[in-house]
Amino acid sequence: MGTGMGTGTGMGMGRGTGMGTGIPLLLLLPMLQPAAGNVHEPLLILEGPEQGGIRLRCLSERPFSDVQLLWTDGKGENLTGIPAPTDTGSAGSSLLLRPGSGNAASCRILDPRLQTASESSVVVADVFFPATSPWLPAFLMLLVLGVFLLLAAAYKLRQNQQLLARERKNQQEIQEEIEDLKGELEEEIGKFQKGHIQAQLGFRRAQSNAVSLTLDEHCKHPNLVIQGKSWIVTSKPGSKIHPKAVVVAREGFSEGKSYWEVEVGDGSDWELGVLGEEIRDSLRNNGGRFPEETVPGLEYSQGEFRLPGGKLERNSGSCRVLGVLLDQESRTLSFFDAEEKQRLGLLPLKLPGNLFPFFSPSSDGKALGIRPVGVGGPQQ
């Protein structure tokens, strides 16, 4: 009597045969209950490549309630399949055969009730398995390296964009500061121009009150010499005269505004101002010797200006032509740099009455002269 078990091999799909175990039938009889017509072999189907392997399906004609389906590889090791019942309700199982499993698989159907078993086997050649390219590892490494480089480039690009944004912000702030400075500079220039214009306007107004002056031969120091009609020079250059040597103008002014100009040249020291009628008379009587009294005037010595009791707008520098404005209305005495058309200083007057211009030339022998307003040089 047959045992109801079979085996099969082949390229592709095979049908089962008798087991041929060599065991006497007497030993198997207690274990197997053959039943004619109930023994059947499983059907193996190669569905095709999948995920680097071959998908196999094993089908039985009987339902899961009657049989069990088991998988083994070419070495006899158990494999785990996935139950896959058919539409008719018969048992089925699916297995993914991968390279390295001996390229062989067997599906066995066990009937516990009848104690029968049958199986079908299949052997798949290497050529049917999906081939893995030898360049795949290198490709994967290059892919990983490319992704890394891409991420690094993206990070660097982001950093550059942030840096560029900061640079643009800094440039914008610098541009705003430049615009603010330009505005301030324009404002300062405007103020300067306005102040300069006002200063020139004030000078022109002062100059519009020009008067003519003549030097008084009878009211001068004996060491001073009047040359022509309007030049004054010391007869003993380098000598120190005490008290100071002066020449007084014949004209005196007790009201209104009076302006005159004096060419001081490059003299190292000089003094110009006004004095009262009483002091003028004293000078006439004392031979032009100046009394020990303070008179309103502007002094120049060693490159610096001094205006005792007054306010200077410029303390140092040179001034070749000096303008003097006597304002009896506001009781002030103003001094101007006639070439720059700017005021040098302002002195309040405390002397009452008629006031006379006086001139004290440089002790180094440099001449000092009255300059008619509107004429390029002093009258000779």
Side-chain angles (χ1 to χ4, degrees):
M1 180 183 295
T3 64
M5 296 185 63
T7 61
T9 63
M11 292 296 291
M13 182 173 63
R15 305 292 292 181
T17 63
M19 290 184 64
T21 59
I23 300 175
L25 296 179
L26 294 176
L27 296 177
L28 298 176
L29 288 174
M31 298 173 53
L32 302 176
Q33 299 292 333
N38 290 331
V39 178
H40 65 279
E41 298 173 357
L43 176 62
L44 275 178
I45 301 174
L46 279 70
E47 294 188 341
E50 181 181 334
Q51 299 180 358
I54 299 293
R55 174 65 65 179
L56 302 178
R57 186 180 295 273
C58 179
L59 301 178
S60 172
E61 297 177 355
R62 302 174 65 185
F64 278 113
S65 58
D66 296 338
V67 295
Q68 295 180 354
L69 275 68
L70 301 177
W71 291 94
T72 58
D73 60 11
K75 301 177 182 178
E77 300 291 339
N78 290 331
L79 299 175
T80 301
I82 301 174
T86 63
D87 296 338
T88 59
S90 58
S93 180
S94 175
L95 174 71
L96 183 61
L97 182 64
R98 297 185 179 276
S101 59
N103 293 14
S106 298
C107 178
R108 175 176 296 181
I109 296 179
L110 299 178
D111 188 339
R113 185 173 58 84
L114 300 178
Q115 296 186 358
T116 59
S118 63
E119 71 176 15
S120 294
S121 301
V122 65
V123 178
V124 182
D126 291 335
V127 70
F128 292 99
F129 285 94
T132 301
S133 173
W135 297 100
L136 183 59
F139 172 76
L140 293 176
M141 183 172 293
L142 290 175
L143 180 61
V144 172
L145 180 60
V147 172
F148 174 76
L149 293 177
L150 183 61
L151 293 176
Y155 175 75
K156 185 64 175 178
L157 179 61
R158 181 176 178 83
Q159 280 191 327
N160 291 340
Q161 289 177 343
Q162 293 177 347
L163 180 61
L164 181 61
R166 287 196 296 269
E167 290 293 334
R168 288 177 178 173
K169 183 178 180 181
N170 291 337
Q171 290 180 359
Q172 183 178 359
E173 292 177 352
I174 292 174
Q175 188 63 32
E176 291 176 354
E177 291 180 0
I178 292 175
E179 294 298 329
D180 292 341
L181 291 176
K182 286 174 64 177
E184 293 177 2
L185 180 60
E186 291 175 356
E187 184 178 355
E188 291 298 326
I189 291 175
K191 290 181 179 179
F192 172 78
Q193 291 177 343
K194 183 178 179 180
H196 185 69
I197 293 174
Q198 289 178 345
Q200 290 196 349
L201 182 60
F203 171 77
R204 293 298 183 188
R205 288 175 178 172
Q207 200 176 44
S208 66
N209 298 285
V211 295
S212 297
L213 297 180
T214 55
L215 300 176
D216 190 350
E217 290 279 359
H218 304 289
C219 191
K220 72 176 185 66
H221 194 278
N223 289 342
L224 297 181
V225 177
I226 298 176
Q227 298 178 343
K229 296 181 180 180
S230 57
W231 286 93
I232 309 168
V233 66
T234 179
S235 60
K236 296 180 179 180
S239 63
K240 294 184 179 180
I241 304 173
H242 298 286
K244 70 181 75 175
V246 301
V247 176
V248 183
R250 292 179 181 177
E251 295 79 12
F253 307 97
S254 59
E255 60 183 10
K257 298 178 181 180
S258 306
Y259 175 85
W260 60 91
E261 291 182 357
V262 183
E263 187 170 352
V264 295
D266 56 355
S268 60
D269 57 299
W270 44 262
E271 183 177 358
L272 302 173
V274 295
L275 46 79
E277 190 171 2
E278 183 179 351
I279 298 177
R280 194 277 308 261
D281 295 340
S282 176
L283 287 172
R284 276 186 173 181
N285 297 330
N286 295 328
R289 301 183 186 278
F290 207 92
E292 293 292 338
E293 294 185 32
T294 301
V295 293
L298 177 67
E299 301 175 10
Y300 180 78
S301 178
Q302 297 179 350
E304 294 185 354
F305 298 101
R306 292 195 306 118
L307 189 62
K311 179 182 179 181
L312 281 172
E313 297 182 12
R314 195 176 85 193
N315 297 321
S316 61
S318 61
C319 176
R320 300 182 61 85
V321 181
L322 188 74
V324 183
L325 175 66
L326 173 60
D327 189 348
Q328 290 282 29
E329 297 175 359
S330 62
R331 302 295 298 164
T332 57
L333 186 65
S334 300
F335 299 92
F336 296 87
D337 185 334
E339 291 183 332
E340 297 293 334
K341 299 178 177 57
Q342 292 182 348
R343 189 168 65 180
L344 291 176
L346 178 68
L347 178 67
L349 291 175
K350 298 180 180 179
L351 294 176
N354 203 17
L355 300 180
F356 295 83
F358 76 85
F359 312 89
S360 180
S362 177
S363 61
D364 58 5
K366 299 293 180 66
L368 177 153
I370 299 173
R371 171 175 171 169
V373 177
V375 181
Q379 183 180 356
Q380 298 292 331

